Amino acid sequence: MHRRAVAVGAGLAVLLAAACLAYLCVGESFVAPGEVLKVLAGRPSADELVVGTLRAPRLVVGTLRAPRLVVGLLVGAAFGVAGGLIQTVARNPLASPDIIGISQGASALTVGAMTFGVTSYTVLPYLSVVGGLLAAALVYVFAWRGGLHATRFVLIGIGFAIALRSVTTLFMTKGDYLVAQQAQIWMTGSLNGRGWAEAAPLGWTLLVLVPAVAWAARAQRTVGLDDDTATALGVRLNRVRLGLVVLGVVLASVATGAAGPVDFVALLAPQIARRMTRTAQIPLVCSALLGAVIVVLADLLGRKLFSPTEVPVGVFTAAVGAPYLIWLIVRSRTVRSGGKA
């Protein structure tokens, strides 16, 4: 256990708890923190007898905001861990699911299903997993040349991302207008209208994958070594890398199916967590907590800043993630040029 990582994780947990409380309190109608805690504890409040009003705390908190908050927490955590795993395998901070084509593969198959009349949010997450796995398999196969080179992996992934985004646009232009509009909203990454129906399959999937994530946290240490050292230690490096990639793809695809492609969360959370903890490997727990914080705060801002108009959560994450991506590229070029000098 890394002491600084434990301290950062505890701080992020406190920040996440505060963000969740603010999320449940703030909205079109403000609910006092005491009333929120009473609803969460199952205790009756003074407004409980008021029927048919949006100001009843149990209706506002328990029915409208809490399910959406749970989806946001799970989606953010899944993207945070997925980004950490894929960046570890690729050894590149730019290798996140939304950059190398995984999110685009999940989106292409999901939007294609919407075009042909499949609009059930209980089915779409599974289609997203299939699409993400297919896209990741294509990137992995084309990037493999006797080994997995980080730069080739990212560049081929970017190429597939552009191609799959074009396929998604083609589906949207060929489909019904209303379906295309629904798909367009989904493509921005939104938690609007999400409830327990979306939270349940996502929660069960993450629960089942907890042992695999625990294995991945230990496997990161060997993947972080150079190939010769890992092979000398008896590590089956290719199998470990494949396992980490598959786990990251499943997490990212399930999250995409639940809330759409919320861009840049998988890029931001692992790198910020690593800089905060100053560890050799990306801390998966801190990445999950930070991903959840980013999604919850972005959705809170989207609901409140331009009220009554609601801005999708993906718009805010993209507004923060795009400048960070540019900074990463400029910084990497500066470091390389300095190294050559």
Side-chain angles (χ1 to χ4, degrees):
M1 298 293 290
H2 194 277
R3 290 184 179 180
R4 185 180 178 88
V6 172
V8 170
L12 289 174
V14 173
L15 177 61
L16 181 60
C20 291
L21 182 60
Y23 190 96
L24 296 175
C25 291
V26 178
E28 291 186 7
S29 61
F30 179 79
V31 180
E35 295 293 333
V36 170
L37 295 178
K38 286 182 180 180
V39 172
L40 296 179
R43 296 168 54 189
S45 62
D47 294 336
E48 195 66 30
L49 297 178
V50 179
V51 179
T53 174
L54 290 177
R55 295 187 179 276
R58 185 171 298 277
L59 176 62
V60 174
V61 175
T63 305
L64 300 180
R65 296 179 187 170
R68 179 168 172 166
L69 171 64
V70 171
V71 175
L73 289 172
L74 296 176
V75 166
F79 275 128
V81 176
L85 294 176
I86 293 174
Q87 288 173 11
T88 297
V89 173
R91 298 179 182 178
N92 193 318
L94 302 180
S96 67
D98 46 346
I99 299 295
I100 62 172
I102 296 172
S103 295
Q104 287 78 9
S107 300
L109 189 58
T110 304
V111 173
M114 288 182 177
T115 303
F116 290 100
V118 180
T119 57
S120 173
Y121 284 110
T122 58
V123 177
L124 294 179
Y126 300 103
L127 294 177
S128 296
V129 173
V130 175
L133 287 172
L134 291 175
L138 289 172
V139 174
Y140 198 89
V141 168
F142 278 85
W144 182 266
R145 292 291 183 276
L148 192 65
H149 190 271
T151 303
R152 184 168 59 242
F153 182 76
V154 174
L155 291 177
I156 290 178
I158 292 174
F160 271 101
I162 296 172
L164 291 169
R165 192 177 291 275
S166 300
V167 172
T168 304
T169 303
L170 177 63
F171 280 132
M172 293 175 62
T173 56
K174 294 297 183 181
D176 181 73
Y177 172 76
L178 294 178
V179 175
Q181 192 174 33
Q182 180 184 4
Q184 181 65 43
I185 296 173
W186 182 86
M187 284 288 297
T188 60
S190 176
L191 298 179
N192 187 24
R194 303 300 189 269
W196 297 121
E198 292 77 33
L202 179 58
W204 282 114
T205 302
L206 296 184
L207 184 62
V208 170
L209 292 177
V210 165
V213 174
W215 164 81
R218 295 179 62 86
Q220 277 185 307
R221 302 175 186 176
T222 57
V223 174
L225 302 173
D226 61 89
D227 292 1
D228 294 335
T229 303
T231 303
L233 293 174
V235 178
R236 297 180 177 180
L237 200 55
N238 292 333
R239 292 187 180 183
V240 174
R241 283 175 175 169
L242 182 60
L244 294 179
V245 168
V246 170
L247 180 58
V249 169
V250 171
L251 288 170
S253 302
V254 173
T256 301
V262 184
D263 291 334
F264 293 110
V265 176
L267 173 72
L268 290 170
Q271 291 303 310
I272 296 176
R274 186 175 183 178
R275 283 167 171 75
M276 292 175 67
T277 58
R278 300 176 186 174
T279 52
Q281 291 84 30
I282 295 175
L284 295 184
V285 174
C286 292
S287 296
L289 290 172
L290 193 56
V293 169
I294 292 173
V295 173
V296 169
L297 290 180
D299 194 45
L300 176 60
L301 293 174
R303 288 194 298 116
K304 190 60 181 176
L305 282 185
F306 301 97
S307 181
T309 302
E310 184 172 308
V311 179
V313 61
V315 174
F316 279 93
T317 58
V320 176
Y324 185 78
L325 175 61
I326 295 173
W327 177 80
L328 276 179
I329 297 174
V330 172
R331 182 176 180 274
S332 63
R333 291 182 61 184
T334 302
V335 171
R336 288 178 183 177
S337 61
K340 291 180 180 180

